[in-house]
Amino acid sequence: MNKSYRLVMESKADLKGLQKYLQIPIAWKQSTLLPWALAFFPILIYLEYIVFFGVDVIYWDEWNLFPMIHDFFAGTMTFSELWEQHNENRMLFPNLFFLLLAKTVHFDTKVGMFVGAFFLMLSFLLLYSIYRKHFQSRIWAFVPVSYLLFGLVQYENTLWGFQVAWYMILACLLGMFSCLERPYVTWTFGISIALAILASFSSMQGLFLWPAGFVYLWANNYSLRSKALWIVSFLLTVLTYFMGFDFHNTGGSSVLAFFSHPVNAIAYFFVVVGSVIQVGGVEAKGAIGIVLFLLALHGAFRGVLSAKSDRSYLFPLGLMVFVFLFDASLVVGRSGFGVGQATSSRYSTYNILLLIAIYISSLREISASFAGKKQGWFVAVSVILVLAVQVPSSYVSGMKSGLSLYQGRTQSANTLRSFRTAPRKLIERDLWSNYDLVFQRASWAELYRFSVFREEK
């Protein structure tokens, strides 16, 4: 009897052990695998988007690279060509990448798109590492960030290899934040300065990493020596950047337009902020921009008050500083072109960061709202509604615009292949507005078998 009883009890114990063993992976799948699958889904869409809608063709600003590339192949290139001003940008490091692109893959511009995607995926991992430090158990709450970061509202940058510089700067920004999130160590602090320098010499918006990074130095009680080193490095970088700078060759509108039409400039600012949500016309985007600006101000105010006691606010606060400086630079340099120009898709890549900053800074209010607490419910509901509208509208508009861009760039590729016989108006419409320069540089592309010519013998 005792032996039978013992066997029964051992069987029950084995059964419980088996149940426990089976429950572990099931629970793990429910709590970890599913949210990660949902988080990686937009990355797959983003890559497939490039596969289906990306076209390998030399387009617009990319033609400016060809004198440098031609001299590189001829062995006569100088450093001044790498350093040469492009509009308002110093593109030293992207120029090195373009030379590598020309040398290794015959200037396949679609490869540039995938490299941009690589930097965006690197940014995603860096962003998650920062997020995880402050919100370890909220994996589900991170899922919306992926749908924002890889949103197709930024289709113009996604499908244009020349814009790889913007994604390089984004990766540098988040890499800098990741270094500054750590307790002060000389080498990590040095890396953060190096990343800010790299970004600064990739395009003008890279200069905005310095004030964004200073948010951490202000709140993290860095030594006076560290702050001084940061400021001196920033000033030296700015001095180097603007040495020999031609302020009349920035590719933008006159700065005087900003001062002479302040109402237009203000409207431009709110439209560029609101255009990250593809709903309605210019007026609707301006109204959306005001809402997002107010939500950002709320998050920034909480961040300034709480950052020194709660370090989770530093990251969104730093993002907001970067984005608002970027948008302010657009107002100064581009508002003279008219408010409608603010709806350009390429400006969305950085304004997506503003949505991410608003979302992360309001996570505690959203959690409190779901827990049935009344405080912060208005902000929580507003942020959730913004995400509920932005994500689907981003994919719908991105797919439509991607198809349209694919058709246009395919036509551009056909025009480039037949550039010797194509009508002047067709070349100026499909490739670049300067016919004579396009003809000369297309001859170089044909000579080196770049882009559409690489399969020809």
Side-chain angles (χ1 to χ4, degrees), residues 57-119:
V57 61
I58 304 161
Y59 180 75
W60 218 252
D61 287 345
E62 288 165 339
W63 290 111
N64 283 316
L65 301 169
F66 272 72
M68 174 188 68
I69 295 173
H70 178 62
D71 289 346
F72 172 73
F73 276 86
T76 59
M77 190 190 75
T78 63
F79 179 79
S80 62
E81 291 181 89
L82 288 170
W83 183 249
E84 186 178 3
Q85 180 181 337
H86 174 71
N87 293 334
E88 68 272 20
N89 304 306
R90 299 287 193 189
M91 300 183 64
L92 173 62
F93 293 105
N95 281 340
L96 292 172
F97 165 74
F98 292 131
L99 291 177
L100 181 65
L101 193 71
K103 185 68 174 177
T104 57
V105 292
H106 295 273
F107 205 78
D108 186 338
T109 61
K110 201 165 181 178
V111 172
M113 300 173 204
F114 281 109
V115 173
F118 165 78
F119 281 119

Side-chain angles (χ1 to χ4, degrees), residues 32-195:
T32 305
L33 186 58
L34 181 56
W36 272 116
L38 291 173
F40 277 101
F41 184 64
I43 300 177
L44 296 177
I45 293 178
Y46 191 89
L47 295 174
E48 287 294 321
Y49 189 73
I50 296 175
V51 170
F52 284 107
F53 294 132
V55 178
D56 174 24
V57 61
I58 304 161
Y59 180 75
W60 218 252
D61 287 345
E62 288 165 339
W63 290 111
N64 283 316
L65 301 169
F66 272 72
M68 174 188 68
I69 295 173
H70 178 62
D71 289 346
F72 172 73
F73 276 86
T76 59
M77 190 190 75
T78 63
F79 179 79
S80 62
E81 291 181 89
L82 288 170
W83 183 249
E84 186 178 3
Q85 180 181 337
H86 174 71
N87 293 334
E88 68 272 20
N89 304 306
R90 299 287 193 189
M91 300 183 64
L92 173 62
F93 293 105
N95 281 340
L96 292 172
F97 165 74
F98 292 131
L99 291 177
L100 181 65
L101 193 71
K103 185 68 174 177
T104 57
V105 292
H106 295 273
F107 205 78
D108 186 338
T109 61
K110 201 165 181 178
V111 172
M113 300 173 204
F114 281 109
V115 173
F118 165 78
F119 281 119
L120 192 60
M121 289 186 285
L122 178 60
S123 300
F124 171 77
L125 295 176
L126 290 167
L127 203 161
Y128 176 70
S129 70
I130 298 170
Y131 171 89
R132 187 174 179 272
K133 179 180 178 182
H134 302 290
F135 304 97
Q136 295 181 4
S137 60
R138 300 181 183 179
I139 300 175
W140 275 101
F142 185 73
V143 173
V145 174
S146 180
Y147 285 83
L148 292 173
L149 189 64
F150 292 93
L152 302 184
V153 68
Q154 58 187 322
Y155 68 89
E156 192 173 358
N157 289 340
T158 303
L159 299 176
W160 192 13
F162 183 76
Q163 293 296 83
V164 67
W166 290 43
Y167 293 108
M168 290 173 64
I169 291 171
L170 178 57
C172 287
L173 175 70
L174 294 172
M176 179 192 70
F177 284 147
S178 183
C179 288
L180 294 175
E181 281 276 346
R182 299 169 180 269
Y184 178 82
V185 179
T186 302
W187 69 271
T188 55
F189 188 69
I191 290 176
S192 66
I193 290 179
L195 289 171

Side-chain angles (χ1 to χ4, degrees), residues 370-387:
F370 276 109
K373 298 179 181 179
K374 294 183 178 180
Q375 64 268 29
W377 68 269
F378 181 78
V379 171
V381 170
S382 299
V383 172
I384 291 171
L385 286 175
V386 165
L387 297 183

Side-chain angles (χ1 to χ4, degrees), residues 213-228:
F214 195 78
V215 170
Y216 278 86
L217 275 70
W218 158 72
N220 271 357
N221 298 319
Y222 277 77
S223 67
L224 183 62
R225 180 173 173 271
S226 298
K227 293 176 183 178

Side-chain angles (χ1 to χ4, degrees), residues 140-443:
W140 275 101
F142 185 73
V143 173
V145 174
S146 180
Y147 285 83
L148 292 173
L149 189 64
F150 292 93
L152 302 184
V153 68
Q154 58 187 322
Y155 68 89
E156 192 173 358
N157 289 340
T158 303
L159 299 176
W160 192 13
F162 183 76
Q163 293 296 83
V164 67
W166 290 43
Y167 293 108
M168 290 173 64
I169 291 171
L170 178 57
C172 287
L173 175 70
L174 294 172
M176 179 192 70
F177 284 147
S178 183
C179 288
L180 294 175
E181 281 276 346
R182 299 169 180 269
Y184 178 82
V185 179
T186 302
W187 69 271
T188 55
F189 188 69
I191 290 176
S192 66
I193 290 179
L195 289 171
I197 293 173
L198 193 157
S200 298
F201 298 137
S202 295
S203 280
M204 176 173 271
Q205 59 265 31
L207 293 172
F208 305 145
L209 267 72
W210 298 96
F214 195 78
V215 170
Y216 278 86
L217 275 70
W218 158 72
N220 271 357
N221 298 319
Y222 277 77
S223 67
L224 183 62
R225 180 173 173 271
S226 298
K227 293 176 183 178
L229 179 59
W230 188 269
I231 294 172
V232 169
S233 299
F234 169 55
L235 293 176
L236 288 175
T237 301
V238 171
L239 181 64
T240 304
Y241 189 98
F242 287 105
M243 192 175 296
F245 192 85
D246 183 0
F247 287 92
H248 298 289
N249 187 29
T250 60
S253 58
S254 171
V255 176
L256 295 177
F258 165 69
F259 293 104
S260 58
H261 299 90
V263 175
N264 182 73
I266 293 171
Y268 187 100
F269 175 82
F270 287 121
V271 171
V272 80
V273 172
S275 291
V276 75
I277 299 180
Q278 290 295 298
V279 174
V282 173
E283 294 80 5
K285 290 179 173 63
I288 293 170
I290 293 174
V291 172
L292 295 180
F293 179 73
L294 293 175
L295 288 172
L297 278 186
H298 172 79
F301 182 72
R302 285 177 61 89
V304 170
L305 292 180
S306 308
K308 291 190 176 183
S309 58
D310 187 346
R311 302 294 173 82
S312 67
Y313 285 105
L314 285 177
F315 176 58
L317 188 59
L319 286 179
M320 290 176 190
V321 169
F322 174 80
V323 176
F324 282 140
L325 285 174
F326 170 72
D327 289 340
S329 72
L330 293 178
V331 171
V332 174
R334 298 291 189 268
S335 61
F337 290 140
V339 175
Q341 199 266 350
T343 63
S344 177
S345 164
R346 63 182 178 274
Y347 302 145
S348 299
T349 296
Y350 293 142
N351 277 285
I352 285 171
L353 298 179
L354 185 63
L355 289 182
I356 292 173
I358 291 170
Y359 174 67
I360 292 177
S361 66
S362 62
L363 271 179
R364 284 183 172 77
E365 291 166 307
I366 294 173
S367 297
S369 178
F370 276 109
K373 298 179 181 179
K374 294 183 178 180
Q375 64 268 29
W377 68 269
F378 181 78
V379 171
V381 170
S382 299
V383 172
I384 291 171
L385 286 175
V386 165
L387 297 183
V389 174
Q390 196 278 337
V391 172
S393 68
S394 171
Y395 283 96
V396 171
S397 65
M399 288 295 179
K400 290 180 179 178
S401 299
L403 177 59
S404 176
L405 191 146
Y406 170 78
Q407 293 170 341
R409 297 286 168 84
T410 300
Q411 175 61 46
S412 298
N414 293 332
T415 300
L416 180 56
R417 287 189 186 94
S418 59
F419 76 96
R420 294 189 182 278
T421 57
R424 183 188 188 101
K425 288 184 178 180
L426 199 63
I427 287 179
E428 292 179 344
R429 184 196 69 185
D430 293 342
L431 300 174
W432 199 27
S433 57
N434 192 320
Y435 171 82
D436 294 329
L437 287 183
V438 168
F439 193 91
Q440 177 198 47
R441 296 171 189 184
S443 300

